[in-house]
Amino acid sequence: MMKKFRFTNLFFRYIVFLSLPMLSAPFFSTYALSAEYPSRPIEIVTHSAPGGPNNLIGHLIAEIVQKEKILPQPVFVTLKPGSGMAKAFSYLFEKKGEDHLWAITSNGLILGTPLRVVVPYTYRNFTPIANICVDGSVMIVSAKSPYKTMDDIFDAAKKNPNKLAQGGSSITSNEAMMGKVMQKIKGVQWKFVSFAGEMEAATNVMGGNIDFAFLNPSSVLEHVRAGNLRVILAASTKRYKAFPDVPTVQEAGLGKPQISYRALMGPPEMPQYAVKTLETAAKRIVESAQFRKYMDQSMMQEEYMDAKKLAAFWEEDEKLVKQQMIDGGMLNKDGSIIQK
Amino acid sequence: MDIVHGLMTGLAIVFTPVNILLVFVGAVMGTLVGILPGLGVTATVAILMPVVLGMTPVTAMIMLVSMFCGARFGGAITAIMMNLPGESNAIVTCLDGYQMALQGRAGPAIGLAAISSFVGGQISLVMMMLLAPVMAKMAIGFGPPEFFSLTLMGLSLVTSLTGKSLVKGFLAATLGLVLATVGSDMFSGSLRLTLGRIELMDGINFVMVAVGLFALGEILLNVEQGVKFSLGKVPRGLRNLLPTWQDIRQCLTTWIRSIIIGFIVGVLPGAGATVASFISYAVAKTTSKTPERFGTGAVEGVAAAESADNASTSGDLVPMLTLGIPGSAGTGMLMVVLLMFGLRPGPFLLPEHPEIFWGIVASMYFANILLLIINIPLIPVVVQVLKVPYSLMYIIIIVIGSIGVYSIDYSIFDLRVMGVFGIIGYCFKKLDYPPACLLLALILGPMVERAFRQSIILSDGSLSIFIERPVSAVFLFFAVLALFAPWLQRYFLARVRSKERIPAESAQ
């Protein structure tokens, strides 16, 4: 018995001895980083549910980086869905100074969310890298729905205030805001229901649980084709080729459309060498043929802005978003958070 | 005839040398992924994305779904051998599987898990082929009120998971519900119970809770009781390492019920394999004539969990392939791969790209068979792990558990949370509180809350929405029934047993 025990003890010591270099590896690697960047695979954080547009762009970037050899290390995608982008943000926020990490964000979330709720960060905490594309959305109703145009919806909402229900991801999303702005312009009211993802909202429109939702045009295309859903409004700068008869928000006299500016950003205090490298990488990604093909296919447009331009754009856009939130009754008149 | 023709096409696609090899690679890799907790299929697909995108769409799908099937089974191995749930859905397998291992029946437990996975996978695939269009319609009709009632039913099954004391079960479940509210609230974006820690904004992932409560709690208890040199006995002879006919016969009805439950829960978007296995386990226990055996190494417990788990995998694919709606993170990943190939899952996938649908179906059939062939002969090898001295074994368990938990978010904080739950798990064991109740509440809590608040917004605050909608009302009825299941069961069993006794006595 005693003999066996001593063997175990020795064996254990041996394991501890062997694992020492492995345990100390992370400390050494921090020194090696700045010399040759990137020195290990780069993580890209996406905030939409798996298969959502934001997540897909992440995978597209990973694929282009690999195929075109834009970076010497691969990019891998992680998912932090839910709560608008709060989950992905908090994840990024806690990785202060990390250089092998970037995230795909959109202006509505990075600018809007911190305005409306108490979170420990604003867009200023994060490091802008580059804007890559813009995309709009379309308003869909069920094919069985009596609403054929936006006016039908406004009429119904006037007759029955707070009866119609709009679905969408988070209450702070572009789509929710656009709904608020429309209600303000037309002087009507409807409800907003949060769902875990875009497609969950689409299912509930099809199932008749909610009346309409703003969704990504590419995710509803197949269901429009199959006759399950109908598109009645396009929140974009110009009409979609796939839906030529659908008017844009501006044509319908409903103000300015909320368009997502999808951008890449890094964690707080990301080192400058990392920003420079990734900024250049982003430019090459946007210019690649595969990226352009994807943009067409998914009904988006490429739009490159470097880190400096993106920072300036965010600063400008934040004022606009703030004003819209005040107009939509989501903030107090002085821009402060409404306490419930 | 369409189905036969489709299946033939699918098999023709799968039975090329490259694809057979990839089914094999996928299944083995899946099993390994399943063994590590935290490192799930989703993460693996993400890592493999560059490799996968170099294949043709059908080949990629064949490999990935084989990996899915493998992972479902792999989770059971660590659950049974080490009380360490390798995949979230293997939590339920721990309940009876580990007890069986302690009784020297690790071999039969793993064998049964393999056979249950096989049966669950194959039968649910038949259901998928026959019912996919109908089930897709059902998924659409399932709104927030229905989802609330279903998840509430799941939650009221807590009464079936409690041990001797109902109060302790409820207390554990309440703690689970409180833990479920931690994190940022989706409806208002505000933070709840995060104690000012950014790490807790994401909520508490149940993998670390499960590893802590089950594996670490068990280790602490064993350490306190003095280091044993081995955990369980390894019986000699192949016959003692495989499940007996008696075991299999005992599981037949459990399989049928669990497969139906698993498939339906799998189809519904949002509820996945974990919910399916919990519900099946509780149903198996409440419909059993000897419910007191559950939790002490009942074969039906393992059978229910594993068959439901695999049945839900097929169910999960239905809304993704026919509607473009992924029901879980895993199928979401498959959808991403399809989209990256330029294919759009949705109403036109089956008519326009039948090779994808039938390729998936055929490869799942093949992968399930292959897994059974690979795993049954491996059982005698795997159970030798039990011969490892416990003083080494617990280190291995801690290492595997820690790697798994760390790989979820690459955060040391998660490991601390795991440690805390290890201590809680130890206290639970000492005081005889059921950890499964806490986990069920933690998993279902956010779903119940979300569906409830969505419904309430839709109904303008009126609770009648849950009764007015027929499907929801039916589930609510079952929820009430489930809440009182243990008493109803005791009543009926007493009646049945007394009836049995009377003829027996009169015969004497």
Side-chain angles (χ1 to χ4, degrees):
Chain A
M1 204 62 155
M2 203 52 216
K3 220 176 177 181
K4 219 172 186 177
F5 190 71
R6 262 169 71 192
F7 160 73
T8 322
N9 214 354
L10 253 177
F11 191 82
F12 179 65
R13 268 193 227 161
Y14 187 61
I15 288 184
V16 170
F17 177 72
L18 274 185
S19 57
L20 270 176
M22 279 198 279
L23 288 172
S24 56
F27 300 103
F28 290 116
S29 58
T30 27
Y31 294 106
L33 283 183
S34 44
E36 35 180 317
Y37 175 85
S39 57
R40 58 191 158 94
I42 302 174
E43 175 179 0
I44 187 160
V45 182
T46 62
H47 68 76
S48 65
N54 182 288
N55 180 235
L56 284 181
I57 294 178
H59 285 294
L60 181 78
I61 290 177
E63 200 195 341
I64 295 173
V65 166
Q66 177 97 358
K67 267 195 189 158
E68 316 249 325
K69 302 197 171 45
I70 289 175
L71 291 168
Q73 291 281 342
V75 169
F76 68 97
V77 184
T78 45
L79 275 165
K80 301 279 163 196
S83 311
M85 203 188 160
K87 280 194 178 175
F89 276 153
S90 57
Y91 177 72
L92 203 66
F93 188 66
E94 69 186 62
K95 301 279 156 92
K96 199 174 189 173
E98 173 69 55
D99 53 356
H100 284 77
L101 175 70
W102 50 358
I104 308 176
T105 179
S106 60
N107 56 333
L109 294 174
I110 178 81
L111 305 176
T113 312
L115 281 176
R116 218 189 136 272
V117 289
V118 185
V119 283
Y121 49 74
T122 70
Y123 73 96
R124 288 185 190 89
N125 289 105
F126 299 103
T127 317
I129 297 173
N131 192 72
I132 49 172
C133 60
V134 292
D135 73 308
S137 56
V138 289
M139 188 190 255
I140 50 142
V141 294
S142 163
K144 288 176 221 135
S145 152
Y147 313 124
K148 298 253 188 312
T149 63
M150 277 316 285
D151 288 336
D152 294 345
I153 289 181
F154 291 128
D155 287 345
K158 213 162 265 169
K159 264 181 224 141
N160 298 305
N162 268 324
K163 271 280 161 244
L164 298 191
Q166 179 193 352
S169 53
S170 129
I171 189 107
T172 51
S173 62
N174 267 353
E175 294 74 35
M177 272 235 284
M178 204 147 42
K180 281 271 182 199
V181 172
M182 284 180 187
Q183 291 171 55
K184 176 100 179 170
I185 291 173
K186 291 284 176 181
V188 293
Q189 264 118 42
W190 62 60
K191 298 178 280 193
F192 184 83
V193 188
S194 265
F195 287 93
E198 268 210 325
M199 285 320 284
E200 203 183 310
T203 325
N204 278 288
V205 172
M206 278 186 256
N209 297 313
I210 50 173
D211 297 289
F212 50 87
F214 278 107
L215 293 175
N216 198 283
S218 65
S219 25
V220 298
L221 192 63
E222 290 296 279
H223 285 290
V224 175
R225 194 151 77 95
N228 296 332
L229 293 173
R230 187 163 56 223
V231 178
I232 56 172
L233 187 70
S236 57
T237 40
K238 51 179 192 272
R239 290 189 179 201
Y240 282 106
K241 269 183 234 154
F243 316 117
D245 306 327
V246 178
T248 64
V249 170
Q250 248 160 337
E251 287 171 5
L254 296 169
K256 209 173 153 283
Q258 298 271 342
I259 303 174
S260 285
Y261 282 78
R262 293 189 193 274
L264 294 164
M265 67 174 192
E269 293 167 30
M270 192 187 207
Q272 204 50 43
Y273 60 83
V275 178
K276 277 274 165 277
T277 312
L278 294 181
E279 191 184 22
T280 327
K283 190 164 175 38
R284 285 184 60 194
I285 291 166
V286 172
E287 282 165 357
S288 69
Q290 197 179 351
F291 191 79
R292 305 222 151 166
K293 191 182 147 217
Y294 180 77
M295 287 291 113
D296 266 357
Q297 197 186 319
S298 55
M299 307 174 164
M300 298 185 215
Q301 288 165 317
E302 62 265 20
E303 170 105 19
Y304 177 77
M305 283 185 232
D306 59 21
K308 223 172 159 183
K309 258 195 205 156
L310 179 61
F313 168 74
W314 276 352
E315 210 175 314
E316 206 50 44
D317 202 42
E318 198 210 21
K319 289 177 201 147
L320 208 78
V321 172
K322 197 173 201 169
Q323 191 53 47
Q324 271 168 340
M325 281 191 161
I326 295 169
D327 290 347
M330 294 163 87
L331 286 177
N332 286 328
K333 286 273 177 287
D334 60 346
S336 60
I337 292 167
I338 297 170
Q339 299 290 339
K340 277 178 196 150
Chain B
M1 258 0 233
D2 261 3
I3 290 171
V4 177
H5 176 75
L7 196 58
M8 286 301 146
T9 335
L11 286 173
I13 296 166
V14 173
F15 280 102
T16 57
V18 177
N19 288 349
I20 289 179
L21 180 75
L22 282 175
V23 170
F24 183 79
V25 170
V28 172
M29 198 150 52
T31 312
L32 294 178
V33 165
I35 288 173
L36 271 186
L39 180 64
V41 185
T42 323
T44 317
V45 177
I47 295 165
L48 288 178
M49 194 64 97
V51 184
V52 167
L53 290 176
M55 304 172 181
T56 65
V58 184
T59 313
M61 280 295 123
I62 286 173
M63 193 183 98
L64 293 181
V65 293
S66 309
M67 204 159 82
F68 262 62
C69 296
R72 291 284 191 246
F73 170 69
I77 297 179
T78 39
I80 292 168
M81 305 295 296
M82 305 175 176
N83 207 17
L84 181 69
E87 289 276 289
S88 54
N89 35 284
I91 294 168
V92 188
T93 315
C94 285
L95 299 178
D96 278 292
Y98 183 65
Q99 293 300 326
M100 281 180 79
L102 287 184
Q103 292 159 16
R105 300 201 69 211
I110 296 178
L112 207 66
I115 298 171
S116 301
S117 297
F118 173 78
V119 174
Q122 300 302 66
I123 296 183
S124 63
L125 274 175
V126 177
M127 289 165 76
M128 176 178 158
M129 289 192 306
L130 297 175
L131 301 174
V134 187
M135 296 308 272
K137 277 207 190 90
M138 184 189 94
I140 287 183
F142 221 75
E146 286 82 10
F147 202 75
F148 167 75
S149 302
L150 174 80
T151 43
L152 189 71
M153 184 185 89
L155 204 55
S156 48
L157 287 171
V158 139
T159 52
S160 305
L161 289 173
T162 59
K164 291 176 200 97
S165 163
L166 198 66
V167 178
K168 285 180 178 175
F170 274 121
L171 281 174
T174 311
L175 182 61
L177 284 178
V178 172
L179 292 171
T181 58
V182 173
S184 41
D185 166 33
M186 167 178 157
F187 288 81
S188 64
S190 53
L191 303 176
R192 300 187 297 198
L193 297 179
T194 54
L195 312 172
R197 305 267 339 191
I198 290 161
E199 290 93 338
L200 285 175
M201 276 171 71
D202 282 1
I204 298 176
N205 188 311
F206 60 83
V207 174
M208 43 196 164
V209 178
V211 172
L213 282 183
F214 283 96
L216 294 191
E218 180 76 23
I219 288 170
L220 287 175
L221 198 74
N222 282 335
V223 167
E224 186 204 39
Q225 285 167 353
V227 179
K228 281 179 282 180
F229 276 96
S230 63
L231 195 57
K233 301 178 285 287
V234 184
R236 286 170 187 279
L238 195 62
R239 189 172 294 171
N240 291 325
L241 289 174
L242 294 176
T244 57
W245 281 119
Q246 174 69 25
D247 292 337
I248 290 173
R249 218 174 306 136
Q250 233 171 331
C251 296
L252 283 179
T253 45
T254 309
W255 275 337
I256 296 170
R257 265 195 305 265
S258 305
I259 290 165
I260 295 173
I261 293 170
F263 184 71
I264 292 175
V265 174
V267 169
L268 303 174
T274 317
V275 180
S277 54
F278 261 114
I279 293 182
S280 304
Y281 181 83
V283 169
K285 188 176 173 185
T286 36
T287 50
S288 164
K289 281 189 186 137
T290 50
E292 61 278 359
R293 285 191 308 114
F294 279 75
T296 61
V299 279
E300 298 100 308
V302 177
E306 284 300 308
S307 54
D309 177 9
N310 276 269
S312 78
T313 313
S314 326
D316 224 1
L317 287 169
V318 172
M320 192 276 274
L321 292 173
T322 55
L323 297 171
I325 300 160
S328 67
T331 42
M333 252 6 249
L334 288 184
M335 186 165 147
V336 169
V337 174
L338 283 176
L339 285 166
M340 294 299 281
F341 279 120
L343 295 164
R344 287 179 190 283
F348 292 101
L349 186 75
L350 185 53
E352 287 173 8
H353 298 280
E355 77 280 1
I356 299 281
F357 182 85
W358 293 111
I360 288 176
V361 171
S363 60
M364 280 175 83
Y365 270 119
F366 187 51
N368 279 330
I369 296 172
L370 208 64
L371 276 167
L372 197 66
I373 298 173
I374 302 170
N375 287 313
I376 293 283
L378 272 181
I379 291 175
V381 184
V382 173
V383 292
Q384 300 306 319
V385 173
L386 286 179
K387 284 185 177 165
V388 175
Y390 195 71
S391 50
L392 280 181
M393 186 69 166
Y394 81 86
I395 299 173
I396 299 172
I397 298 176
I398 292 177
V399 168
I400 296 181
S402 304
I403 293 174
V405 168
Y406 183 72
S407 71
I408 302 171
D409 266 349
Y410 307 105
S411 149
I412 296 290
F413 183 81
D414 290 356
L415 289 177
R416 294 192 194 126
V417 174
M418 179 185 84
V420 169
F421 279 100
I423 296 165
I424 295 176
Y426 167 75
C427 298
F428 267 37
K429 279 248 155 85
K430 272 280 184 192
L431 302 170
D432 204 21
Y433 279 81
C437 291
L438 190 157
L439 275 173
L440 181 71
L442 179 63
I443 292 165
L444 286 176
M447 298 184 192
V448 175
E449 189 205 343
R450 185 157 49 98
F452 180 75
R453 289 172 73 178
Q454 285 166 348
S455 312
I456 286 298
I457 294 175
L458 288 174
S459 72
D460 297 316
S462 154
L463 288 170
S464 59
I465 188 170
F466 299 113
I467 306 168
E468 279 162 8
R469 309 201 10 165
V471 180
S472 164
V474 170
F475 278 124
L476 268 189
F477 172 72
F478 280 120
V480 175
L481 212 61
L483 199 59
F484 294 104
W487 292 280
L488 290 172
Q489 189 179 19
R490 215 169 295 156
Y491 173 72
F492 280 114
L493 280 180
R495 276 187 58 176
V496 170
R497 277 175 191 166
S498 66
K499 258 186 203 162
E500 275 168 2
R501 209 174 298 132
I502 293 161
E505 278 164 4
S506 57
Q508 276 174 358

